[in-house]
Amino acid sequence: MGNRSVLFIYSAKEAGGYADFGYFEMTGSFLNYKSVLPLTKREIMITTHASMSILRIILGLILLPGLLFAQVRLPKLVSDNMVLQRDQPIAIWGWAAPKEKVTVTFKNKNYHAVAKADGSWKTELPAQPAGTGFDMVIKGKNRVQIRNIAFGDVWLCSGQSNMVINMERVKERFPEDIASARYPDIRNFFIPARTDLNGPEKDLPPSQWKAATTADILSFGAVSYFFARDLYEQYHVPVGIINSSVGGTPIEAWISEQGYGNFGDIQKVIIQNKDTSYVNARISKPVLSKSSMPENTDTGLSEHWERADYKPKGWRNFNIPGYWEDQGLKELDGVVWFRREFDVPVNWAGNPAKLFMGRIVDADEMYVNGKRIGGTTYQYPPRRYQIPEGVLKAGKNTFVIRVTNQAGKGGFVTDKPYFMQMGEEQIDLKGTWQYKVGRVDEPLEMPDKTAPLIAQNQPAALYNAMIAPALPMKLKGFVWYQGESNVGNAKDYNRFMPALIQNWRSLWKSENLPFLVVQLPNFQDISYRPVESDWAVLREAQNKALTLKHTAVAVTIDLGEWNDIHPLNKKDIGKRLALAARNLAYDDKSVVYSGPRLTSHSIDGDKIILTFSDVADGIKSADGEDLRWFAVAGEDKHFVWAKTRIIGKDRIELSGESVKSPKYVRYAWQDNPEGINFYNSAGLPASPFRTDGDFLNDN
């Protein structure tokens, strides 16, 4: 057939009972099936050297009775329990056979549409007040009923892992909030991760709306749930959360191709990523080369060190928590086993118990008395295991942990909980264990300088698959919690943050949609000297949002954990976001939602005077001590810690003993300015800032 294109109209019923409608296209030596409707992607590729009998079979499918006409199909978002934006005209859309007539019936009124040549159709309902419990019927050649519809406020919540982290992950910290989750009018639609490098998709991957009740609350994103709950309790209006987030992803992946109009470098990447041969070559390239040994070379596995009756020989002492590189094992990648005996009271014997082993870098398998009770494959989740009934015995019990680490420090993260619990009783698991090396791996090495292509990190890839299909939904606003993946190129975030906001507002055709940003919290080691900080630069770039109207940045510099990129206090983050929403989205200007913001600074001899807005009733020291984490510098930009004095409701005086002619100021310019105490009277912290950077000078 050469390079000719041969089209065959084809219809095939999906497993779910819906009909697909598409065609086969012959290009070169391949026969590709292409669906007109955005069903699950698949391709049938047959070389022209295949027998004609295969083509006859394909063509014969056209004649199968009952498969010639597509049925009305709705997008995943338009489904039972959905929340639609109140007080705005509402789009209802979907797909059907070309020219098929579709009727939407709502509140005893009919709204009509006719499917276009590509099968798409859309109609519009008039604005509706807040309310719940509505049904809708859509008819074409088939009939679809949607039940329990609510009209309220719909928020698109997006970002990376800290927006993904669900209530299950924080259940030990907020047990009462989970037990009291009885909010059927707060509903969550979580979008599973999917990418597309070629362009916007028409529908989202399978998901469903779920209500905030005890049955489903653990699946809700924690930040978005606490945010929605605060708003619901304030206004008693249904809240819909569309959570479109993927862990470990950069901001570039969430901006549309059109949003990169002024980014020539990124436009080239997007075009290149549409080249299938280029992408396949990059994806198939190995990420890392490693002369790794197979699992059975782990001596611990072959000798069964996990068994309770194993007789340990040659084991050494190790203090948990801690990293093995800090306790005598230099640059070891591989498998290390840990072992200890614990005495268990008689009343614990045979009963189930909970085991908390902090966080482990990277992967672990946990054994109690020879029985495997669980394992985790990567470093970030907290280790929470259930010891089943019948495993524990009175007296001595053997605990064994097999830890695998492939790079960096391996072991047990400090400042985390390590204990066993039954009821109100606990047994502390910290202290001296024994360890033995089971396997030593060769260090990981990059095979060459060409990095592999990871689709979820590519420009527009997540927008195409996880944002674009939601464009017909009307929204109340956006919530954005992302930035950790961009810390390595923090300065570029200055371009991306405004670009994302402008892009999404343009796509939703509303330049006033509120956009709420979560600023990155304090994280990593504390430095007690003024230093440079990429985390601080990223936070400064997030403040670029404030250069656009109807935006807010929730400062969380006091809510982080030095040793965990996923801090557990999502409740206060949600609360601060809700304060911003009340002021910006609900126009309650009496609500204070920001901490102190620097408005000006002046030099008075050997002192610098700072003036702030958003102080409520005044600047406060949270602990009554002098304000911490302020630094001053002269023309040489050599920063030293400053002596601070609050000299009025909205002013602070700074001086540095060794700086006689101060010119610049920095505040909380650290990865982790632990223990900040600079707040306003409303209890909201000031954002980190500097006066020697381009950000303030440009604005």
Side-chain angles (χ1 to χ4, degrees), residues 573-648:
I573 296 176
K575 183 183 295 294
R576 291 176 186 176
L577 288 167
L579 290 174
R582 288 171 60 190
N583 187 294
L584 296 179
Y586 296 88
D587 202 32
D588 187 349
K589 300 308 179 185
S590 66
V591 174
V592 178
Y593 68 93
S594 172
R597 296 181 189 177
L598 179 67
T599 57
S600 66
H601 63 284
S602 60
I603 299 173
D604 182 9
D606 61 352
K607 297 178 176 59
I608 294 183
I609 310 300
L610 307 180
T611 303
F612 296 85
S613 65
D614 299 275
V615 299
D617 292 331
I619 293 170
K620 300 292 183 184
S621 168
D623 54 13
E625 297 183 3
D626 290 345
L627 299 181
R628 291 186 285 272
W629 298 107
F630 279 94
V632 295
E635 186 68 35
D636 60 359
K637 292 189 178 182
H638 176 69
F639 283 89
V640 300
W641 295 126
K643 179 176 178 58
T644 63
R645 188 165 69 96
I646 300 172
I647 59 174

Side-chain angles (χ1 to χ4, degrees), residues 269-563:
V269 173
I270 292 174
I271 293 171
Q272 193 171 37
N273 285 344
K274 294 180 181 180
D275 182 341
T276 303
S277 59
Y278 167 79
V279 170
N280 288 342
R282 289 282 305 280
I283 289 177
S284 61
K285 183 179 290 294
V287 179
L288 297 166
S289 65
K290 179 178 183 179
S291 57
S292 58
M293 305 175 185
E295 281 289 290
N296 60 12
T297 61
D298 179 353
T299 306
L301 290 178
S302 60
E303 296 182 0
H304 294 287
W305 293 349
E306 79 281 4
R307 288 181 179 172
D309 59 357
Y310 164 76
K311 304 299 182 185
K313 296 179 181 179
W315 291 61
R316 298 172 180 268
N317 288 343
F318 186 92
N319 191 58
I320 290 180
Y323 298 102
W324 61 61
E325 279 85 354
D326 297 332
Q327 299 190 43
L329 294 174
K330 184 179 180 181
E331 298 177 355
L332 172 66
D333 298 330
V335 177
V336 180
W337 294 68
F338 299 86
R339 181 184 181 90
R340 184 175 172 181
E341 290 185 342
F342 289 92
D343 286 328
V344 169
V346 173
N347 64 308
W348 284 44
N351 292 317
K354 294 179 180 179
L355 186 64
F356 296 86
M357 286 303 295
R359 275 183 49 227
I360 299 176
V361 183
D362 290 302
D364 68 278
E365 293 178 84
M366 193 75 58
Y367 300 87
V368 176
N369 292 330
K371 181 178 178 60
R372 187 182 188 277
I373 64 167
T376 306
T377 58
Y378 65 112
Q379 65 170 295
Y380 291 118
R383 272 39 175 193
R384 303 174 304 191
Y385 299 120
Q386 186 76 27
I387 301 177
E389 183 178 354
V391 173
L392 292 176
K393 58 185 180 180
K396 293 189 180 300
N397 291 256
T398 304
F399 289 66
V400 175
I401 311 169
R402 179 179 185 262
V403 179
T404 304
N405 177 254
Q406 296 182 341
K409 288 187 174 184
F412 302 81
V413 177
T414 57
D415 282 358
K416 293 292 179 181
Y418 293 85
F419 63 89
M420 181 169 51
Q421 182 176 28
M422 190 187 76
E424 299 298 320
E425 299 181 63
Q426 293 184 358
I427 295 176
D428 189 0
L429 301 181
K430 296 190 296 293
T432 302
W433 291 53
Q434 283 73 47
Y435 79 89
K436 192 171 185 178
V437 176
R439 190 183 77 213
V440 178
D441 296 341
E442 293 296 320
L444 298 171
E445 296 178 357
M446 291 296 295
D448 56 46
K449 295 182 180 180
T450 304
L453 187 145
I454 301 173
Q456 70 175 26
N457 294 343
Q458 297 303 303
L462 294 175
Y463 164 81
N464 288 337
M466 298 179 64
I467 299 294
L471 285 178
M473 288 285 284
K474 296 291 180 65
L475 302 176
K476 187 70 170 180
F478 306 101
V479 181
W480 178 252
Y481 191 171
Q482 189 277 339
E484 297 91 340
S485 292
N486 287 89
V487 168
N489 60 334
K491 291 182 179 179
D492 288 342
Y493 214 85
N494 281 293
R495 301 188 299 159
F496 295 135
M497 188 76 261
L500 175 73
I501 298 171
Q502 293 168 332
N503 180 220
W504 284 11
R505 285 175 169 173
S506 174
L507 291 163
W508 262 275
K509 298 180 173 61
S510 177
E511 64 179 12
N512 294 320
L513 273 177
F515 202 105
L516 315 180
V517 177
V518 179
Q519 192 183 75
L520 293 187
N522 51 310
F523 175 56
Q524 300 193 113
D525 294 336
I526 303 169
S527 177
Y528 287 95
R529 295 183 297 105
V531 294
E532 298 300 328
S533 165
D534 286 339
W535 281 77
V537 173
L538 197 289
R539 296 183 191 111
E540 178 183 69
Q542 289 176 315
N543 280 337
K544 273 283 189 178
L546 298 174
T547 63
L548 302 173
K549 59 184 178 181
H550 302 296
T551 59
V553 174
V555 176
T556 66
I557 198 70
D558 55 341
L559 302 179
E561 300 175 26
W562 76 270
N563 58 3

Side-chain angles (χ1 to χ4, degrees), residues 36-47:
V36 172
L37 302 181
L39 298 171
T40 303
K41 284 189 168 182
R42 65 220 185 275
E43 288 186 347
I44 302 174
M45 304 181 68
I46 306 174
T47 67

Side-chain angles (χ1 to χ4, degrees), residues 255-275:
I255 301 172
S256 79
E257 182 174 351
Q258 291 73 20
Y260 287 114
N262 297 323
F263 295 74
D265 52 339
I266 294 182
Q267 287 282 1
K268 292 179 182 178
V269 173
I270 292 174
I271 293 171
Q272 193 171 37
N273 285 344
K274 294 180 181 180
D275 182 341

